[in-house]
Amino acid sequence: MPDKPETDRDRRVFALYEQLLEIEQRLIPTGLHVFGRASSAGEQIDLLKMIASFDRPEFGLRALPQEVVDDAVRTFVRKGSNEAIRLLETRGLPTGLTTEDVRAVFALLESVREKLQTNTEIDSLVRALRGEFIEPGPGADIIQNPDVLPTGRNTHAINPYSVPSAAAFARSEVVASSLLERYRSEHGRFPEAMALVLWGLDNIKTQGEGVAQALWLLGVRPVRDALNRTTDVEVIALPDLGRPRIDVVMTVSGIFRDLFSPTVQLLDKAVRLVAQLDEPWEMNYVRKHVREQIEHEACTPDEAAVRVFSNAPGNYGTNVNFMVLDSQWEREETLGDLFVTRKCFAYGRDSRGRAIEGREARLAMDRALSRVEATYQNIDTFEIGLTDVDHYFEYLGGVSKAVEKRARSRPAIYLSDTLSREVKIRSLEETVRLETRSKTLNPKWYEGMLKHGFRGVAEIENHVSNTFGWSATADAVDDWIYAEVAHTFLFDESMLERLRDLNPHSAHALVQRLLEANGRGYWDADAATLEKLREISRSLEDQLEGVA
Ligand code: BEZ
Ligand code: MG
């Protein structure tokens, strides 16, 4: 490919080439984990390649470059480290890497491989059921932290006072600035306010990257006390920050609220600190919004500065996913309203130091969301993405729909991919396309699922329904996606036969979901296509009722 595309045609071919590369290089799970079973040789190669592709400064380890990682890891798995090192030496070591660097990478791969080959999950489960001690281990995905192996241990959380770690804070600067640059490139200025979704497990896995991103947007850094606990923040001066402080509305999950209580306090403290800074409004949107609200609504500074919201104490989830998947809604705005009803409980501490622990603050949340121009969530693992579970659309979709009504405008919706070699910010629409191409419509993915029979068909249907969740909450799904789902799984006769043999219930649910997508105006399908779908639906119903 040319380095510097010259003509318009070259530019378009180059953009296409980059997109194809992105899809090709995306790591996807190619099957479900079977409890108690160690990973196969093929799965091991895929995982080890990814593990070897990341620099690990914490262990002084360097990544193997893309050009050599495939051959090197295959040779390693078949013939061992010495052969793999010899291969690299014969071909000429990658630039900047010494034999010692390469040896250290294979030493890590050796230990990971050993742990991948054993599996004590069933044994541990039985011991847990007997009330015996289960050795604890960290929670993350294997690529982020190979120390999660062996599996079958008691996943322990981390000390909330250690969040965000220094590494997470450093990494997050790039993410926050890329996010703001992306918005600015599309809108000509920075967003005044953003809504962020923070989850508990994600912040355990990344040692608080989501938290650190929120702090960067506000323009503050974490400060540790004499006991090395992160209990405070300090202001990053505007000349150093080089941009305005962004107003950040945070919706934290119930799990986050429970696990990260000191962090909830830290985030609330950060907002209140920034709101009090004597800075020009155009450089400090938190102050601007808080002052405006006090002036126009005669509310107290404490009320105007609430930005950390979660469920009522003891409650979890938004229920937006249930409402969507059970088709229990007429108007989309109901989904956003439900999100606010579930999540409008404020957490933090007021200016007199009194704890606010889940006080209902619907008006405050309505106001805060009414200024939001962009919504965002960090995705930190290749294992679970936008269409694998219903939680992304219930949270990020739910908050975006709530913003749309309150701000009278749909926000820009972004996700980051902090797993790739370089940080990548994508719009929701781009992420849905990428997920669809690399998973739902990718034969490597769906054939992997179909090996699991009944459950595999249910997974395919789940992916389509979760994709539909992005239509319902954010109108972020292109027509071609539904059309291709119909062609791949229903209009291909042999595929339809396989699905109906393995799991006619899920096959029927899939057809119904496509018809619902059309019925609700998310998919503009022609009459012949719809008739075909209805016919398939009828024949599946007959099968389920034992008529056929
Ligand atoms: C969490 O870790 O906070 C979380 C997990 C699953 C769904 C929603 C939130
Ligand atoms: Mg559409």
Side-chain angles (χ1 to χ4, degrees):
M1 290 305 298
D3 278 349
K4 239 203 233 150
E6 295 296 339
T7 66
D8 186 48
R9 192 194 66 125
D10 283 353
R11 251 190 302 279
R12 287 184 0 225
V13 172
F14 193 72
L16 181 62
Y17 171 76
E18 284 191 326
Q19 277 202 21
L20 288 174
L21 212 59
E22 182 177 47
I23 296 168
E24 186 195 347
Q25 289 175 353
R26 193 141 173 104
L27 196 70
I28 55 162
T30 51
L32 300 166
H33 175 64
V34 177
F35 194 76
R37 198 157 87 195
S39 44
S40 70
E43 286 161 354
Q44 283 179 28
I45 290 176
D46 281 348
L47 280 173
L48 295 174
K49 265 164 51 181
M50 283 305 286
I51 290 171
S53 298
F54 283 86
D55 282 331
R56 295 178 192 276
E58 64 278 25
F59 307 122
L61 285 185
R62 303 281 308 278
L64 294 183
Q66 201 115 38
E67 314 82 75
V68 300
V69 72
D70 188 61
D71 284 348
V73 170
R74 280 176 196 283
T75 308
F76 162 76
V77 168
R78 293 208 192 98
K79 301 183 182 160
S81 337
N82 287 340
E83 277 300 314
I85 294 167
R86 202 161 310 137
L87 173 87
L88 291 179
E89 283 174 339
T90 317
R91 292 203 188 157
L93 285 174
T95 327
L97 293 188
T98 63
T99 301
E100 274 320 299
D101 291 333
V102 172
R103 204 178 289 284
V105 173
F106 288 114
L108 171 68
L109 297 190
E110 195 73 64
S111 94
V112 171
R113 180 153 191 243
E114 215 176 279
K115 292 181 204 154
L116 279 172
Q117 283 165 333
T118 53
N119 186 306
T120 58
E121 289 166 355
I122 289 180
D123 185 46
S124 298
L125 175 65
V126 172
R127 283 193 291 121
L129 291 173
R130 280 199 214 107
E132 291 175 17
F133 176 74
I134 307 297
E135 192 194 336
D141 73 48
I142 299 175
I143 292 160
Q144 260 159 3
N145 182 3
D147 282 342
V148 300
L149 296 173
T151 57
R153 290 185 294 168
N154 182 8
T155 308
H156 65 75
I158 52 170
N159 172 4
Y161 286 107
S162 69
V163 160
S165 69
F169 191 68
R171 270 200 299 277
S172 299
E173 179 177 15
V174 190
V175 182
S177 43
S178 308
L179 181 58
L180 293 176
E181 275 314 317
R182 169 88 198 234
Y183 184 93
R184 185 155 77 160
S185 73
E186 290 171 335
H187 300 84
R189 59 175 177 80
F190 291 119
E192 290 201 13
M194 294 190 59
L196 265 55
V197 172
L198 297 175
W199 284 352
L201 296 175
D202 291 36
N203 279 282
I204 292 174
K205 285 191 279 188
T206 61
Q207 313 213 347
E209 280 187 24
V211 172
Q213 290 160 4
L215 297 180
W216 273 111
L217 291 170
L218 289 165
V220 299
R221 68 170 70 86
V223 175
R224 291 177 182 248
D225 67 12
L227 297 172
N228 201 30
R229 302 179 316 166
T230 306
T231 46
D232 212 344
V233 289
E234 68 184 16
V235 168
I236 300 170
L238 283 175
D240 296 332
L241 196 60
R243 57 159 171 88
R245 303 184 195 283
I246 311 301
D247 190 352
V248 183
V249 187
M250 291 157 273
T251 309
V252 314
S253 69
I255 297 178
F256 186 103
R257 171 204 57 203
D258 294 351
L259 294 177
F260 287 104
S261 175
T263 318
V264 166
Q265 297 299 329
L266 189 80
L267 291 167
D268 173 72
K269 198 172 185 176
V271 172
R272 290 174 196 279
L273 173 68
V274 168
Q276 284 166 17
L277 296 173
D278 187 10
E279 291 173 338
W281 285 13
E282 71 276 11
M283 290 305 282
N284 182 334
Y285 297 130
V286 184
R287 180 174 181 79
K288 176 184 176 195
H289 298 152
V290 167
R291 289 280 130 201
E292 281 176 349
Q293 193 175 336
I294 294 168
E295 206 167 292
H296 296 142
E297 297 178 21
C299 69
T300 66
D302 274 338
E303 283 163 355
V306 175
R307 293 291 184 277
V308 185
F309 298 92
S310 189
N311 296 84
N315 278 312
Y316 302 84
T318 72
N319 292 355
V320 169
N321 45 342
F322 302 128
M323 194 181 248
V324 168
L325 296 178
D326 294 343
S327 307
Q328 295 296 320
W329 53 288
E330 303 260 327
R331 284 146 48 109
E332 289 169 354
E333 67 173 51
T334 321
L335 303 172
D337 291 344
L338 176 62
F339 181 89
V340 174
T341 301
R342 294 283 299 171
K343 286 286 176 186
C344 67
F345 297 83
Y347 289 81
R349 202 170 279 282
D350 70 15
S351 52
R352 291 163 64 186
R354 290 174 303 200
I356 309 166
E357 284 181 43
R359 182 200 301 156
E360 185 170 359
R362 192 175 182 108
L363 190 67
M365 190 175 196
D366 282 341
R367 286 293 179 277
L369 292 178
S370 74
R371 306 181 196 101
V372 166
E373 296 177 302
T375 60
Y376 165 74
Q377 186 165 0
N378 184 41
I379 294 193
D380 57 46
T381 166
F382 75 94
E383 286 178 309
I384 299 175
L386 276 195
T387 58
D388 293 294
V389 292
D390 52 7
H391 299 305
Y392 283 106
F393 81 74
E394 70 157 321
Y395 273 86
L396 185 63
V399 75
S400 301
K401 192 46 88 181
V403 166
E404 187 175 326
K405 176 172 166 184
R406 287 152 186 80
R408 296 200 177 81
S409 165
R410 181 187 186 276
I413 310 174
Y414 299 113
L415 293 122
S416 61
D417 190 338
T418 51
L419 243 205
S420 312
R421 280 172 188 257
E422 63 230 63
V423 170
K424 186 116 193 201
I425 304 290
R426 294 190 185 88
S427 70
L428 173 62
E429 291 80 354
E430 288 164 352
T431 316
V432 170
R433 282 178 207 128
L434 182 58
E435 282 273 305
T436 303
R437 288 188 171 117
S438 61
K439 288 184 189 154
T440 320
L441 295 174
N442 178 355
K444 200 173 166 194
W445 181 85
Y446 62 71
E447 289 298 345
M449 288 297 151
L450 288 172
K451 285 194 192 117
H452 297 271
F454 182 90
R455 184 67 227 161
V457 186
E459 282 297 320
I460 293 170
E461 188 273 316
N462 279 349
H463 274 70
V464 175
S465 284
N466 293 332
T467 304
F468 172 88
W470 289 112
S471 283
T473 56
D475 194 19
V477 185
D478 303 333
D479 287 75
W480 68 260
I481 291 182
Y482 292 114
E484 286 297 316
V485 166
H487 279 280
T488 306
F489 297 109
L490 303 172
F491 298 163
D492 174 329
E493 275 179 32
S494 68
M495 177 58 84
L496 179 59
E497 274 312 302
R498 288 169 73 193
L499 299 189
R500 69 191 304 160
D501 279 352
L502 292 169
N503 183 342
H505 295 274
S506 292
H508 183 248
L510 195 154
V511 187
Q512 292 307 111
R513 195 64 79 192
L514 290 179
L515 288 168
E516 184 181 5
N518 171 261
R520 291 192 189 266
Y522 302 138
W523 175 30
D524 188 10
D526 60 39
T529 300
L530 293 171
E531 190 38 47
K532 262 207 295 208
L533 287 175
R534 288 194 199 98
E535 199 184 303
I536 293 170
S537 173
R538 280 192 293 271
S539 98
L540 282 162
E541 273 159 30
D542 287 348
Q543 181 181 345
L544 290 170
E545 287 162 11
V547 178

